[in-house]
Amino acid sequence: MKNNTPKKTKLVYGVGINDADYAICPTVNGRQVMCPFYRAWANMLRRCYSKAFHKARPTYAGCTVTSEWLIFSKFKLWMNKQEWQAKQLDKDILFQNNRVYGPLACVFVSAEINTLLNEYSNGRGINPRGVSLFVNGRYQAQCGAYGKNRHIGYYGTQEEASEAYKKFKYKHISEVANQQSEPLRTALLNYVIEG
């Protein structure tokens, strides 16, 4: 008599259910190749639920995944309808400061767009974003744009340097936004640059 009891499997990062009905890491031409759908799903879970990952990237501590997406097949079904090739899963461009991965908030974006809004707050120190103390008590404003660090200018106060940075950054975001389709275009144009 066949046992119809579902096989119990270990939860992925303590929360995810891998219900794939195929090998997620088959051997192809002598090499193991991970399913891209599974890789995206597992990486999302790692960002939210791995304490080791949070030590290296503390900004992800407190992020969660909707209950629907804790099941691999549900995430895969959504991802299969997206333009995901050579792109990265993002949770907080469509809804700024969002902390929950789910089908309404997430979008696949290029690496350039994914880093466009990165705050790099861990190594910034006490100065506002894009601002550093320069010689003679002046403040330098600079901003990364199109793969290069751009010098904006020198200013007498942190506030002036910060405003110059924000204007430059928003101009750059707008240029990138106008090359995108909806809803990404509008989300980028509405992005609020925080200090």
Side-chain angles (χ1 to χ4, degrees):
M1 183 172 174
K2 188 174 179 180
N3 184 355
N4 289 328
T5 307
K7 182 182 174 185
K8 292 195 175 189
T9 58
K10 183 178 176 185
L11 294 175
V12 181
Y13 292 102
V15 294
I17 299 169
N18 175 13
D19 61 347
D21 57 359
Y22 60 93
I24 55 159
C25 204
T27 301
V28 178
N29 297 327
R31 285 186 51 211
Q32 281 197 316
V33 180
M34 183 174 285
C35 167
F37 298 101
Y38 184 85
R39 178 184 292 113
W41 179 73
N43 284 339
M44 171 185 68
L45 295 177
R46 180 171 64 104
R47 288 191 292 271
C48 293
Y49 302 108
S50 167
K51 290 180 182 174
F53 185 81
H54 294 162
K55 286 181 184 175
R57 304 282 298 274
T59 56
Y60 283 96
C63 290
T64 60
V65 176
T66 61
S67 58
E68 175 185 3
W69 276 12
L70 293 177
I71 302 168
F72 171 62
S73 61
K74 302 276 187 179
F75 175 81
K76 181 184 176 192
L77 189 65
W78 174 85
M79 182 174 165
N80 202 30
K81 296 175 184 173
Q82 312 303 312
E83 292 182 25
W84 58 267
Q85 291 84 352
K87 293 183 178 180
Q88 301 170 349
L89 181 65
D90 185 89
K91 68 172 173 11
D92 54 7
I93 288 179
L94 295 183
F95 299 99
Q96 191 169 346
N97 300 319
N98 176 52
R99 310 279 292 158
V100 181
Y101 285 88
L104 298 177
C106 288
V107 64
F108 279 93
V109 296
S110 67
E112 175 197 7
I113 290 175
N114 208 14
T115 58
L116 178 67
L117 308 177
N118 195 327
E119 294 188 26
Y120 301 106
S121 57
N122 289 347
R124 187 165 73 222
I126 61 169
N127 292 313
R129 192 173 172 188
V131 176
S132 59
L133 183 60
F134 200 67
V135 294
N136 300 328
R138 294 181 58 78
Y139 292 89
Q140 178 182 18
Q142 54 189 1
C143 181
Y146 301 109
K148 295 185 177 179
N149 201 22
R150 310 282 181 168
H151 171 76
I152 301 168
Y154 299 104
Y155 302 88
T157 67
Q158 273 188 343
E159 292 76 19
E160 291 172 319
S162 181
E163 282 306 308
Y165 164 81
K166 288 177 183 178
K167 285 180 186 173
F168 183 95
K169 183 72 172 183
Y170 187 74
K171 181 176 181 272
H172 176 52
I173 290 171
S174 299
E175 289 168 358
V176 173
N178 287 318
Q179 300 168 13
Q180 309 306 313
S181 58
E182 293 298 346
L184 192 53
R185 180 182 179 277
T186 297
L188 288 170
L189 289 173
N190 290 335
Y191 192 81
V192 177
I193 301 168
E194 299 169 349

